[in-house]
Amino acid sequence: MSAIGRVTGQQLYSSSQTSINAARLRLSALQEQASSGLVINRPSDDPTGTATVLRLRGELAANTQYGTNMADGLSWLRTADSAFSTSTDLVRKASDLTVQAANAGTSSPAAREAIATQLVSIKQDLLAQANTTYLGRSVFAGTSDAATAFNADGTVNSTVTAGSGLVQRRISATETVAVSADGAAAFGTVVKDPATGAVTSDTSVFSSLDKVIAALRSPDWGTDLSATGPQAAITGGITAMQTARNALTTQQAVVGTAYARVEAAQSRNSDAAVQLEKQRSGIQDADTASVLLNLKTQELAYQTSLQVTAQVLQPTLMNFLK
Amino acid sequence: MASTFGLLNSAYSGLAAARAALEVTGQNVANVNTPGYTRQRVDLASLPGVDKSSLFTTGLNIGTGVQITGISRISDSLIDARVRDTASSSGYWTAASTALSVVENGLGEPGDTGLSASLTQFSNAWQTMANTAGNSTTGPAAASALLGSAQALADRIASGYSTASKAWSTARSSAEASVDQVNRTGVQIAALNDQILRIAATGGNANELIDQRGAAINALSAATGATTRENANGTVDVLIGGSTFVSGTSARTLQLTGAAAAPFTATGLRFSAGAAVQADGGSLAAQLSTLAPEGVYSQAANAYSAVATQLATDVNAVHRQGAIADGTTGHDFFALDASKPAAIGLSVVPTSQSGIAAGKPGAGSGDGSIADAISQLGSKAGGVDRGWAAYVAGVGAQTKAATTQADVAATASSAAQSAQTSQSGVDLDEETANLVVFQHAYQGAARVLTAIDEMLDTLINRTGLVGR
């Protein structure tokens, strides 16, 4: 507006046009917010907000992935845990039978053979447990792709021993959890000298069972009472069973701890998902009520400016000169 | 004392002045909506009485009517200069913010179509790869999902780059068109200068041509930030970036420098046969700055190339440590074609699961530690995701700033235009009032004429008829 205060029709027209345009622009911006439900539709709507939203979206996607990882990890751990429970039961049964063999019922070779047969079947069951698989992968074979963790003689499959670690699952940006169990620590190993093939160390529960079975079937039963005789082997077997049970329980505890850790992480993860979504929504999502209210206000302003313009721009002096 | 018939002449001059004023009013009304039209006014001056014709002439010396001294344009050169100045600034910022908006909308951020979504999918695909490592049932599916997402990522980067490069080419041809327009306007101004000069030489009225020239100069200012220099003979010189573009009746020709076919090459402005010119405002200056090697388009292209390069470097560094299916290490996941820009030259090396190194050598095929490490690369400090997010936020901030500037400049420009319209625009009310005023003046002059006529009639026809 000039200082002279001269207002021309064209000036009125162009300023009305500018105001109507501006009102329409605000209306379209609000309409975009209302229809997309977002306040940040492009980076320039809020540059800092955009940076945050991008980070949050990335974290949300990673969070979802960690959720999948954890569900998968829990399945692994559950499989290992149930294998451990069954194995502990089997070893206890074997232990009971060994004690039974040491005490009564061993008078006749037939009674000893009955116990030996049971132990053979327990050993087979135990081997099956030690080779438990989850989705085609042996849970005690670590990162090795061996189909079975343990051979029939109780030795650990050579590909497993070749330095493979435990299977890891990422549960957050900073943590990974081992979801497979250490089969060698749980079931024991037979280590042979690669050159001679001689056994250098033997902690295997399978070879302990084999020794007990061999002692029960030994023809020297009752005659050879020396430290290397069958009865002594049975006594040794009892101790070995105990040790094996302890090893299994220890490893089951490790798996249980990991399970608890993943479960805790899972609940943290879902909390974090809610939090992240809330943060993202707080920055990026439009507040429907306020957007609608603004939209109504702008609509009114727009319609008013149209009305007023239509009313004001029509008359000139000519309408009144007769 | 004037002659008896001198009165008739006075009355006639009044009639002629009123008619001329009505004609000018008519011209004003006719041009009420003509862009660039400046309202005109008849300048009138009263005619003094006739000089004493002899030494002994006595009596009163009464004026002898009215004369038209000219038809003036009611304009204010200060306001005109301000209109040009603000138009140049508004032109610059509007073009700059338009270019930034093009780039910004091409990013598709924040959303599912943006590069950041592709980067996240790529990272998650590596996680799935780590989870399914060594699994014969789900492994191949995860591997093909990973290869798919890697290809999608490479495609997204390439398409982002080519969007930027196409936007550059479009901007280049639009700058070309702007330069053509500027040249045509220059020729037009020179031609108008010529006509004005000739009309002025014959003492005519060139108001309409001056208006046309003013509109042409405004357009030139909006495009190039041109300034003017008025010459004594009524012509106007136009300067772009301090160099004379239109000098009197001759105009020079501008042209763009730099290769149009090669995106992101430096583009400048120079006279057809002569030195380089720096447009110091206006839309053309903004267009040239977006075309520059550090302009928005090339920034966008560089950002995509930087992502491609970093992605290839980071992922390959980890991937090389891992063993592929045959147990060998040192294999790349991404390849860069050195003959092309990184964003276009990025390709995925493995074609099947056997080429993906998910685990460390010797750790067994169930090891997914390499895949896991790759999945974590992007979101690390200094990782690709962070770098990209920083670029996106930077573009957003630039766009926001340019849009705000454009709004401010547009407001200033429209305020200046409003001031100009207020000063020079035609007001129908005023013209209608003038119409009434001059109509009455005409009627009055005609009445004077009638009165003289009757007076002469009495004198000539009725004198000496006493007693008849």
Side-chain angles (χ1 to χ4, degrees), chain A residues 18-32:
Chain A
T18 314
S19 325
I20 290 175
N21 257 337
R24 213 167 169 162
L25 204 67
R26 284 195 293 271
L27 202 61
S28 91
L30 282 166
Q31 245 154 15
E32 189 188 26

Side-chain angles (χ1 to χ4, degrees), chain A residues 92-239:
Chain A
R92 186 186 299 118
K93 213 180 277 173
S95 176
D96 289 351
L97 285 171
T98 318
V99 172
Q100 200 181 327
N103 301 334
T106 50
S107 47
S108 71
R112 289 202 298 277
E113 182 54 31
I115 290 172
T117 316
Q118 282 187 63
L119 283 175
V120 166
S121 104
I122 284 173
K123 188 204 154 190
Q124 270 159 6
D125 287 353
L126 197 60
L127 192 62
Q129 287 304 322
N131 286 327
T132 302
T133 60
Y134 172 68
L135 288 177
R137 283 185 62 192
S138 177
V139 291
F140 298 115
T143 57
S144 137
D145 54 351
T148 51
F150 292 90
N151 298 321
D153 65 354
T155 51
V156 178
N157 199 317
S158 59
T159 54
V160 181
T161 49
S164 56
L166 297 175
V167 174
Q168 305 280 339
R169 285 289 174 269
R170 180 161 289 279
I171 57 167
S172 78
T174 50
E175 299 166 275
T176 56
V177 165
V179 295
S180 70
D182 187 347
F187 296 96
T189 47
V190 179
V191 181
K192 290 179 181 165
D193 191 303
T196 59
V199 174
T200 51
S201 107
D202 183 1
T203 52
S204 172
V205 64
F206 302 107
S207 63
S208 303
L209 279 170
D210 279 342
K211 279 178 199 154
V212 172
I213 292 163
L216 286 171
R217 285 174 176 168
S218 164
D220 300 332
W221 184 275
T223 52
D224 183 359
L225 297 174
S226 70
T228 53
Q231 264 105 330
I234 295 288
T235 319
I238 293 170
T239 327

Side-chain angles (χ1 to χ4, degrees), chain A residues 2 4 6 8 10-11 42-44 47 54 57 61 65-66 69 135 137 143 145 164 169-170 316-317 321, chain B residues 32 39 104-105 109 111-112 116 120 124 127 131 133 135 363 365-366 372 376 418 422-423 425 429-430 432:
Chain A
S2 91
I4 315 160
R6 186 172 183 272
T8 66
Q10 219 175 16
Q11 199 182 351
R42 56 186 66 74
S44 63
L54 284 180
R57 284 176 68 98
Q65 183 62 44
Y66 296 145
N69 295 359
L135 288 177
R137 283 185 62 192
T143 57
D145 54 351
S164 56
R169 285 289 174 269
R170 180 161 289 279
T316 62
L317 185 57
L321 284 176
Chain B
V32 65
R39 72 185 160 118
E104 183 190 32
N105 287 332
E109 301 280 8
D112 298 331
S116 62
T120 316
N124 283 354
Q127 278 283 312
N131 286 353
N135 192 317
S365 68
D372 179 56
Q376 298 300 306
S418 180
S422 164
Q423 173 73 21
D429 289 351
E430 188 182 296
T432 312

Side-chain angles (χ1 to χ4, degrees), chain B residues 356-412:
Chain B
I356 302 173
K360 293 198 177 90
S365 68
D367 183 31
S369 55
I370 294 292
D372 179 56
I374 293 176
S375 79
Q376 298 300 306
L377 286 174
S379 52
K380 277 201 298 226
V384 173
D385 297 25
R386 298 285 181 89
W388 177 253
Y391 166 71
V392 169
V395 168
Q398 276 186 56
T399 312
K400 195 185 165 104
T403 313
T404 313
Q405 284 279 15
D407 282 350
V408 171
T411 311

